[in-house]
Every structure is written in C-alpha cells, then in structure tokens.
Amino acid sequence: MHRYLERFSDAVDVIAGLLLGLCTLLIVVSTVGRYVFSWAIPDSFDLSRYLIGACMMWGFASLGYRGGHIAVDLLYEPLGPWGRRVLDFIAWALLLAFTAMLAYMMFFRLTGAYRSNEATFDLRIPVWPLVGLIWFGCASAVVTTAVAPFVCGKHEETNPLEGHGV
Amino acid sequence: AEVELTLSHWVPATHMLQAGGMEPWAKSINEASGGRINITIYPASQLGAAPDHYDMARDGIVDIGFINPGYQPGRFPILAAGEIPFLISDAKSGSRALDEWYRQYSAKEMSDVYVCMVHVHDPGTLHGTKGPIQVPADLKGKNIRPAHATMARLVSSLGAASVQVPAGEMRELISKGAADMTASPWNSIYTFGLQDVTKHHLDMPFYVTTFAFVMNKAKIDGLEPQDRKVIDDHCTSEWAEKMASKWADAEAAGRQKMIDAGGHTFYKPTPDEVNLWKQATASLEGEWAAAATKAGIDAKSAWASLAETLKKYDANVK
Amino acid sequence: MNTADLVAIGGFVAMFVLMGLRVPLGVAMGLVGVFGFAAMRGITPALNLLTTSPIRVITDFNLTLVPFFILMGVFATNSGMSRELFRTGNAWLGQFRGGLALSTIAACAGFAAICGSSIATAATMSRIALPEMRKAGYADATSTGVIAAGGTLGILIPPSVMMVVYAFLTETDVGQLLMAGVVPGILATLMYMATVLIAHGKHLPSGKTFDFKEAITSLRDVWAVLLLFIAVIGVIYLGIATATEAAAVGALLTMVIGILRGRLNTKLIMSSLVESLRTSVSLFSVLIGAILFGYFLAITQSPQKLTAFLVGLDFGPYGTLALILVIFLVAGALMDEMAMIILLVPIVFPVVIHLGFDPIWFGVIIVVACELGMIMPPVGINVFVINSIAKDVKITTIYGGVMPFILTDIIRLILLVAFPIIALWLPMTMR
Ligand code: NA
Ligand code: NA
C-alpha cells in the first residue's frame, strides 16, 4: 500500500513539474513569436493563465504529501513533543477539511464551465478541460493530504526553506 | 429597513455608473418601497472578481450583480448580438431597445438568475500606445485588450492576440506593455487612468458592450408581494435607459476632453476605410447566428426582431 | 457597534487563534473567511465562494510571474552561479580588512539581482560563504549575521516576489515597483558594508593580497548573472515585454546557461521545477486564504470603518504612518513576512493612500519593514534558515550578529521616509 501511495505522490510531483516546464515554454515561445516574428499565438494569454492555475493545484497536492505550508511557529517552538503532536494533528485535520471542502465546491466550477459552454477568447476552445486539469490537482491534494501522516518521514530530508514564505 | 440587498460591481466607486445610475436607482427603490428596501453598493470587486459576478448573484454571495456577459465567451450567446460592431449607435435609446428585445430570451439564457435589466455603454473604439490605428491591417501582430468576447474574435481574426482583463486592470496591462491597444469608450480612458499612455485613437463609433443587472432568484422570489412589485417596477426598459444615460453623457464628453488636453492623435477613417472595418466585422453576424441557433432559438427571426426594435427607437447604425 | 462589527472582530480573534495553533496560514484565513461570510450571508453562499474565488486567484495573470521569479533563483543556485558571485566579490574586495564579509554582502546583492526570494538568497550564501568565513577565522556571530542581513536584499533588489504580492494586493504597477527597489538596494548594500566595518571591525581578520589578474579573470565567470539581470530587469525597465514574459524568459535562459555549462541535468532540472513550484504554491495558498478573508471583511464593511478610525485619530499623515510602521515592525518580529504583508497591507493601504502617500514608495517602505522582520527576534526567518544549515551555531549567536544590521535597517527606513526620491527616482524615469 505504502509503495502505491509513494508512487502516486511521485507522479503528482512529475505532473506538477512538467506543467510548470510546459508553461514556461508556452510563454517563452509566445513572447519570442510576438517580438521577433510579430506573430501572436492565439489564446496564449488564456492558456498560460489556466496552466499556471493547474501548476498551482498540482503543486498543492505535492505539498499535501510532504508539508511545507506557511505557518506561524511562535507558540509551537516552545512546546514539548506531546504538545507539538497535538498541534500537528489539529493543523493536519483542518488542512484536510479545507482541502476537501475546496475540492468539493470547485467541482461545481467544473460542471458549471461544462454546462455553460464557457470558452477561450480567441479560438473558442471549451475551458472545461482546463478547469478539469485544475480540479484534478485539487482532488489529488485531498488524497495526498489524507495519507500524509501515514507515509511521510521516510521519503527524504525536509527542505529547511519550505514553509517560510519567500 | 426590512429588506437589505447587496449590490456588487467591479468599477470604481467614483464611476459615473454608480453615481449617475446605480445610486439614483437604489434611492428610487428605497423611496418607492417606503423605506422598506435598502440597497448597499459594494464597488470595485470588493466581493469578487468581475467575471464571477453572474455566479455570485446566482449563488447568493451577493443579491444583485452587475455583469459584463462578454467577460465569459460562449456563455451568453444570445445577448452577445449586442456586442457586434456597427449595430447600436446610441447608448440611451440602444439600452432601451436591447432590453426590450432581450426580455424574450433572458429567462432562457440566464435561467438561474432574475434578470433585472440589460444596457450598453456609449459607443467605444480602439485606443493605443502607438499609431496608426486607421484600418484593420493596423491590428496585425498586436496584443489587444478586446473589452468582450465578440471583439476578441474580431481582433484574433485580424491577426492580433487578445489579452482580456476586466476594465479595472486595463491601466496595468497597457502601462506594462502587455497590450498595445485597448477597446474602450472615450471617457473610460480617463476613468481608468490611461490618458497618458494611450495617445492614439481610432476616431469612429465602433462597438458597444452589453451589461446586465442580475439578481439572486431565491431572494427575489422570497420578497413580500408589495416589495416584489417595487423591484419589478425598477427592472424595466425605461430604467435600462436611465441607468445608461448619465454614464453615456460622461463617456461621450471624454473625446472632447482629449482634444482640449492636446497631445492626442485621432485617426479618422475615410468612408472607404470605414467599409474595410465593416467588411472585417461582417463574419461576426454569421458566427453569432450559428451560436444562437445552437443555443436553441430561431436566430434569423431574433436578428430581425433586434434590428426592428433598434430601428423603432432610432438606435441602429445607419 | 453592530452585529457586523462583532462578527468581524470575532473573525480576527478566531484567525489569530488558528494561526497560533500552527494551522497553515492559508487554511486559517480561508476557514475564517468562509465561516465568517456564512455568519453574514448564510452557509451556502459562503461555501460557493470556494467554487469561484480560488480558481480566480491561481489563474490571475498578475501572479503568473511568481513561479518564474522563484524558478530563476533555484536554477541559478543549482547551476553554481552563487559560488561564482562570491568568488568574484572576493577577488575584488578580499584585499580589505574583513574582505570576506564584504564579498559576502556583494555576492548577496548580486544574487538578489537574479533571485526573487530572501530566504533563498540567505540559504544559498550560507552554504557557500559561511564555510569560507569560518575557515578564515571570522567569529560565528559576524559571519552568520552578515549572511542573515545580506540575504534580506533578495526581496528589495529586483526581481522580488514580495513586491509582486504587494502589487497584486494593492493593484499598483509591478514594473515601477520593482524598479523602485534598485537604488534603495544599492544603498542597503553599501550601508551593510559600512556596518560590518564599524560594528564588527575590531574582530575582523585582515584580507588577502590583491591579485589584479585574478580580479580580471573572475569577471569572466559572472557574465551569466549580468546577462540575466539585464535581460529581465532591463526588459521590464524599458517596457519591452511584460514582467511575466521577462520572468519566464529569464527562468528558461538560466536553465539553458546551466545546461550549456554542463551543470544541470534532467534530474536536477526536474527537481528545480518541483522545488520552485512548491515554494510558489505555499504562497498561492496563503493568497487564496487572504482573498476569502478579504471578502469576509468586505461584507462586514470593516475595512472602511478601520480606515475612518485610523484617519480620525488625527495624528497627521506622518504620525499615522509612524503608527502603521510600528505595527509592521512588531508583526514582522512575530511572524512570517509574507503572512504579514498579506494580512496587513490590504487593511492599511487605503489609509496610506487617503493620507496622500505614494503607493510605489509605500511598497518599498513595506519591503524594508519586511527585511527588518526577517532578521528581528524572536521570529527572524533568515536566522532560522541559517541555523538550519549551520546547526552548530546557536540562534542567540546569530541574533547577536544581526543586531548592528537591525540598527542600520532602521536608519535606512527613516532615510526612505524622509527622502522618498531615493525610491521614486528610477521608476520616474520610466516611460
Ligand atoms: Na531579488
Ligand atoms: Na519575522
């Protein structure tokens, strides 16, 4: 079971990373096209926006598994191991509840986009597949967050930079 | 007051639409209801992003939402007729006519809200950081903020890319260089602080944008009969014209303001060049008809009815 | 005081309690936002906020440059550019007394010019400069203090993720704001160097002998940093492309340079992508929460009342500004700086504008306040980051080392308040 969960979260990382790479390429190509060849990729504005959104939700799933959300350590630091475990549990439970609520409600944005024929501005491509890509990231975040306490820790050393904004 | 209603919109609180349209309308509702209905206005996207306002009214996040249907391409294909360039010549009578016409379709197209009224703005045109903007070929290879979905189709058919942001973000977009041109009515250039960036203007009444006030259905259906009547009495084609009027005057004055200020270049197309623009936009009517047919209405008779209503109020482009 | 006011106050209290329990900040703000909105408008509309708003935030084009600014820094670190900067700094400044410390500050400033994050700047410099300084006999307080302070340049010198967020929250022009950080950034660099010499002067080891040939050849290695800075910041300054386009091109260019020099492979590229994405996401999830919390506050109309209250105190513009800055400094000492600006800027910004201050200038002031917060005890993020890398140096030792820099930062803040032109001159020369 653990093996599958780890494989799942590795896949989440790969998808998230590839989406960011794809998005970088799309923006660079459209920039070069516009300034060098005065040729505009239709819908590049909408596509890059939605792709960044998808990156963020798949990245959110990656965070659900390994942690790294911005939190305030002020009261946490002085606590003993037992107190920390209690706070860890509260934080995890609320993160899971929020993520689940988000995924549930965001599903209606997906069905709404499908039913209302919402499309991109230039080529009028339906936007629901893009919203769907975002929603799948959010749904994956529910899974990765839910299983996080049962699998994390053995995977890799935590990055000291994570969870501290920028 | 017995009934508290929230009205949310996404233009600045200082916008003429609020001072000259929404506030008098809300005041009239308050008076007609003997003080029973009070409307609080939340401006400037305080409660949500501009393109989300339809959903916000539908879901009860707000009671009344001011929407630009053209911020969501494909979603309101029937009303999109009003967005076609060279169709509506005047904001006041045009709002009255469009509202009267759309009443046949509003319950079908915007079925999950109560549609109070629709209206348009004073005819707008293209404004850019560089010239010339005289003929359709001048748009090629440019990044253009199109104002709504139909204009987006037009600019992309002319070899430009659309960068669609709500009006409130126009300034940032243009001053950053993310767009070279924006479609807008005249005085909005001042309202949104673009007068020092967009110095080049296509001097021709080109297109209008449609707007709608939509209300949460459950809220309206739950009103006492006498309150409901007050709302119904304020959701009329006459009120659509009133809503649009003061704003339209303010927009039209913007062009003269630029002439007086100096430093602006106005490109006035010759009649032949106007025809080039008309040819460029000709396909939009067909595209609209196809989308409207798909939405389940008789597009041909709907178009005829729109033309006739516009003519009745002398709001058609000749 | 009416019901709405009470609900708003209750919301603030609930959010601070959740924050104290170490609930992720975005979740704390988001939950209070949703349930506070529910108290005002009912649960169904409140839940429906989650249908539309979060997607709107993550697909907002004003924020699309965030991951690219971070990605650029990660690629730069992973391809060794920070090491070259330090080496070049040392070749030129190493001759002076305390030369390694001066080189470290110069390298921090140089790295800040291609990296949008302060903690990334501090972390990458700890790995490179700290071992060298220790080897050369610098006191731990001095070497860690220099890196903690130098690291804060990451959000002042463009690119800066902090500025992107400020511009997003206040709808100011991000290009102008980024430019406004350049001159204060140079000022900060010089002031930090002076601080090292004055405050730590007595204990500084003497420098090495200057080697002209080495100094010249060292310049060969930093061409990439210079190229990237000009490509990204120059393009934004000249208004040739949008900030997002510049940032994406910059990120790709950093990667290509890394590949050409044989320092990035597929695995490293992939892990750089994931790493920067995760940093970006932790930021976006706070923004999602902040937007939800903002809708809740808006429906209670408390921002207007708070503005009226603060303006009504009648302290005069500079008195009110001083009050706001004190709030920021206290908050900065206690919490994460990103959390601080997301929480406080939307509330105080209308007041500041009402008082007639310049929004771009105020953005720089806020960034400097953030820099202070990053090294201020008890919660100085940069200090924690350095401590997590140099585990044998006590936190208190590092705080001891940064004290003189805190003083310099306060002087710099006062200078910027007194002479706004320091920040505003460069953006004013833009078109
Ligand atoms: Na930077
Ligand atoms: Na802090």
Side-chain angles (χ1 to χ4, degrees):
Chain A
M1 189 63 194
H2 273 199
R3 223 158 41 99
Y4 289 110
L5 288 174
E6 274 175 25
R7 219 176 271 169
F8 178 73
S9 60
D10 285 344
V12 165
D13 278 0
V14 171
I15 293 171
L18 287 181
L19 280 172
L20 182 59
L22 183 68
C23 202
T24 315
L25 278 180
L26 175 70
I27 293 179
V28 170
V29 170
S30 87
T31 308
V32 172
R34 203 151 71 80
Y35 293 102
V36 183
F37 306 104
S38 69
W39 163 74
I41 298 186
D43 275 334
S44 60
F45 178 74
D46 265 351
L47 283 178
S48 50
R49 249 169 16 94
Y50 278 108
L51 276 180
I52 287 282
C55 283
M56 289 307 137
M57 270 304 144
W58 283 92
F60 192 59
S62 174
L63 233 53
Y65 180 66
R66 294 193 176 81
H69 280 286
I70 298 177
V72 176
D73 289 340
L74 197 57
L75 299 179
Y76 185 83
E77 292 292 338
L79 286 179
W82 194 83
R84 287 186 178 195
R85 223 169 292 152
V86 173
L87 290 204
D88 281 342
F89 177 78
I90 295 173
W92 170 76
L94 289 179
L95 174 63
L96 180 61
F98 183 76
T99 312
M101 266 164 57
L102 185 60
Y104 180 73
M105 294 310 297
M106 203 188 267
F107 187 69
F108 299 110
R109 180 73 183 80
L110 174 57
T111 56
Y114 181 78
R115 276 190 292 113
S116 67
N117 299 315
E118 217 185 309
T120 57
F121 275 90
D122 291 343
L123 298 177
R124 296 295 162 88
I125 304 163
V127 299
W128 69 263
L130 294 164
V131 177
L133 188 62
I134 295 174
W135 180 79
F136 261 107
C138 190
S140 306
V142 180
V143 177
T144 56
T145 309
V147 304
F150 312 106
V151 280
C152 73
K154 296 141 213 152
H155 212 70
E156 60 194 79
E157 201 187 332
T158 50
N159 183 343
L161 299 188
E162 276 172 10
H164 287 306
V166 291
Chain B
E2 276 79 358
V3 183
E4 291 286 347
L5 296 178
T6 53
L7 189 173
S8 174
H9 69 82
W10 33 270
V11 292
T14 49
H15 197 285
M16 192 41 116
L17 183 63
Q18 175 165 337
M22 296 179 196
E23 281 169 9
W25 178 74
K27 190 159 168 266
S28 174
I29 288 178
N30 185 267
E31 280 163 6
S33 65
R36 284 175 52 80
I37 304 178
N38 183 47
I39 296 178
T40 310
I41 300 176
Y42 292 81
S45 303
Q46 277 176 15
L47 294 177
D52 287 333
H53 271 63
Y54 180 88
D55 290 345
M56 286 156 60
R58 179 196 66 192
D59 297 338
I61 294 170
V62 298
D63 300 314
I64 309 165
F66 169 69
I67 68 167
N68 175 346
Y71 283 167
Q72 292 187 303
R75 189 166 186 182
F76 307 109
I78 302 172
L79 183 55
E83 296 174 351
I84 295 176
F86 302 112
L87 180 68
I88 298 176
S89 64
D90 178 80
K92 300 175 190 175
S93 53
S95 291
R96 189 188 184 110
L98 187 71
D99 183 274
E100 190 176 304
W101 170 76
Y102 191 56
R103 282 179 188 272
Q104 309 167 65
Y105 309 105
S106 60
K108 179 179 172 68
E109 181 160 271
M110 300 190 181
S111 59
D112 29 31
V113 292
Y114 170 89
V115 182
C116 174
M117 64 173 94
V118 303
H119 67 97
V120 299
H121 69 43
D122 192 59
T125 183
L126 290 171
H127 313 267
T129 52
K130 290 186 208 80
I133 319 173
Q134 179 119 13
V135 289
D138 293 333
L139 270 52
K140 195 172 178 333
K142 298 285 192 329
N143 261 9
I144 300 176
R145 184 242 167 214
H148 55 61
T150 304
M151 284 295 280
R153 280 300 283 176
L154 175 66
V155 302
S156 75
S157 77
L158 295 175
S162 71
V163 183
Q164 177 57 47
V165 296
E169 290 172 30
M170 266 194 308
R171 202 205 120 73
E172 221 191 326
L173 190 78
I174 301 263
S175 63
K176 267 186 199 169
D180 316 286
M181 280 180 214
T182 183
S184 162
W186 288 99
N187 195 60
S188 284
I189 296 299
Y190 283 97
T191 311
F192 296 103
L194 287 158
Q195 66 275 19
D196 297 325
V197 232
T198 54
K199 294 279 200 180
H200 299 264
H201 313 273
L202 173 63
D203 195 8
M204 159 182 96
F206 193 6
Y207 75 98
V208 300
T209 301
T210 64
F211 301 96
F213 283 83
V214 298
M215 301 182 172
N216 180 264
K217 238 181 170 166
K219 189 82 180 195
I220 299 304
D221 290 342
L223 293 176
E224 301 283 326
Q226 78 268 28
D227 296 334
R228 172 67 189 247
K229 186 172 180 307
V230 172
I231 295 292
D232 285 340
D233 289 347
H234 284 79
C235 291
T236 61
S237 303
E238 289 77 33
W239 267 106
E241 178 168 350
K242 275 191 221 169
M243 185 66 81
S245 290
K246 285 240 169 69
W247 180 24
D249 291 340
E251 288 294 1
R255 184 174 167 277
Q256 191 57 44
K257 215 194 282 184
M258 277 177 211
I259 296 173
D260 296 344
H264 289 262
T265 315
F266 299 83
Y267 301 89
K268 195 159 184 65
T270 63
D272 282 349
E273 286 167 341
V274 172
N275 277 333
L276 288 179
W277 285 105
K278 287 189 173 166
Q279 281 160 26
T281 58
S283 63
L284 295 172
E285 191 190 317
E287 276 185 25
W288 171 82
T293 308
K294 225 170 127 196
I297 66 162
D298 179 352
K300 214 173 155 194
S301 71
W303 185 259
S305 150
L306 176 59
E308 191 186 315
T309 318
L310 286 172
K311 212 166 162 199
K312 184 166 103 189
Y313 291 104
D314 194 24
N316 57 322
V317 172
K318 277 103 195 165
Chain C
M1 200 173 279
N2 59 23
T3 327
D5 297 341
L6 290 175
V7 173
I9 291 167
F12 268 108
V13 172
M15 190 194 56
F16 282 121
V17 169
L18 290 178
M19 268 169 64
L21 294 176
R22 206 170 178 262
V23 173
L25 196 70
V27 174
M29 295 179 95
L31 284 175
V32 173
V34 168
F35 288 105
F37 202 89
M40 299 293 296
R41 300 273 314 162
I43 186 72
T44 311
L47 284 174
N48 271 310
L49 285 175
L50 294 171
T51 310
T52 44
S53 305
I55 289 201
R56 202 52 78 181
V57 175
I58 60 179
T59 59
D60 189 306
F61 104 106
N62 289 308
L63 289 171
T64 47
L65 70 170
V66 168
F68 301 122
F69 273 175
I70 296 173
L71 187 58
M72 215 171 129
V74 174
F75 276 143
T77 300
N78 287 347
S79 58
M81 289 184 191
S82 35
R83 188 172 299 280
E84 286 154 6
L85 278 166
F86 180 65
R87 209 179 292 142
T88 308
N90 196 26
W92 286 88
L93 298 170
Q95 55 184 307
F96 300 107
R97 191 180 176 80
L100 275 180
L102 300 179
S103 315
T104 305
I105 291 170
C108 282
F111 194 68
I114 51 168
C115 172
S117 146
S118 274
I119 56 172
T121 308
T124 187
M125 282 304 152
S126 320
R127 294 202 178 96
I128 292 150
L130 197 56
E132 303 280 333
M133 280 194 277
R134 294 178 113 181
K135 223 188 300 164
Y138 282 75
D140 281 344
T142 310
S143 51
T144 52
V146 163
I147 296 171
T152 66
L153 295 173
I155 54 165
L156 182 61
I157 297 174
S160 161
V161 172
M162 201 66 92
M163 286 181 175
V164 175
V165 172
Y166 174 89
F168 170 76
L169 294 171
T170 61
E171 293 175 9
T172 45
D173 186 330
V174 71
Q176 290 196 6
L177 185 58
L178 290 169
M179 290 310 143
V182 173
V183 177
I186 296 170
L187 177 69
T189 311
L190 296 177
M191 284 177 77
Y192 281 160
M193 287 182 175
T195 311
V196 172
L197 297 177
I198 295 165
H200 294 277
K202 270 181 291 181
H203 314 289
L204 290 175
S206 51
K208 63 180 184 67
T209 45
F210 181 69
D211 179 344
F212 186 73
K213 210 172 132 218
E214 187 201 337
I216 294 297
T217 48
S218 76
L219 291 178
R220 258 200 338 229
D221 294 333
V222 289
W223 63 269
V225 174
L226 209 61
L227 175 81
L228 287 169
F229 182 73
I230 290 170
V232 176
I233 305 307
V235 158
I236 295 174
Y237 177 75
L238 295 173
I240 298 171
T242 71
T244 306
E245 289 169 339
V249 171
L252 190 79
L253 214 54
T254 317
M255 185 187 85
V256 171
I257 292 171
I259 294 172
L260 289 180
R261 291 164 139 194
R263 291 173 191 166
L264 288 175
N265 54 29
T266 321
K267 204 174 152 222
L268 213 48
I269 291 170
M270 196 62 205
S271 69
S272 303
L273 285 169
V274 175
E275 185 189 331
S276 38
L277 193 54
R278 291 156 62 78
T279 309
S280 316
V281 170
S282 66
L283 170 61
F284 273 70
S285 66
V286 179
L287 283 172
I288 289 176
I291 293 290
L292 293 167
F293 192 71
Y295 292 153
F296 158 55
L297 288 186
I299 199 82
T300 65
Q301 299 202 307
S302 44
Q304 293 94 314
K305 288 174 197 159
L306 204 66
T307 305
F309 171 75
L310 281 175
V311 171
L313 287 178
D314 208 21
F315 289 166
Y318 283 94
T320 313
L321 182 70
L323 177 70
I324 288 172
L325 287 178
V326 168
I327 296 172
F328 268 85
L329 293 186
V330 172
L334 293 178
M335 63 167 87
D336 183 278
E337 279 55 50
M338 189 52 80
M340 172 175 91
I341 76 163
I342 288 173
L343 206 60
L344 294 180
V345 164
I347 295 171
V348 302
F349 185 72
V351 183
V352 171
I353 294 312
H354 184 94
L355 295 174
F357 291 109
D358 184 275
I360 301 282
W361 166 83
F362 186 64
V364 174
I365 294 293
I366 290 305
V367 169
V368 175
C370 285
E371 288 187 272
L372 257 163
M374 287 179 155
I375 52 176
M376 190 111 85
V379 185
I381 305 291
N382 272 13
V383 172
F384 291 169
V385 166
I386 293 168
N387 176 254
S388 71
I389 292 166
K391 293 200 173 66
D392 55 327
V393 184
K394 281 213 209 85
I395 289 256
T396 45
T397 309
I398 309 178
Y399 278 130
V402 296
M403 277 310 154
F405 295 100
I406 291 181
L407 193 69
T408 335
D409 275 1
I410 291 173
I411 296 171
R412 178 157 51 99
L413 188 61
I414 293 168
L415 278 176
L416 283 165
V417 171
F419 306 104
I421 191 75
I422 300 173
L424 294 178
W425 170 73
L426 192 60
M428 275 180 351
T429 64
M430 291 170 78
R431 69 181 172 105

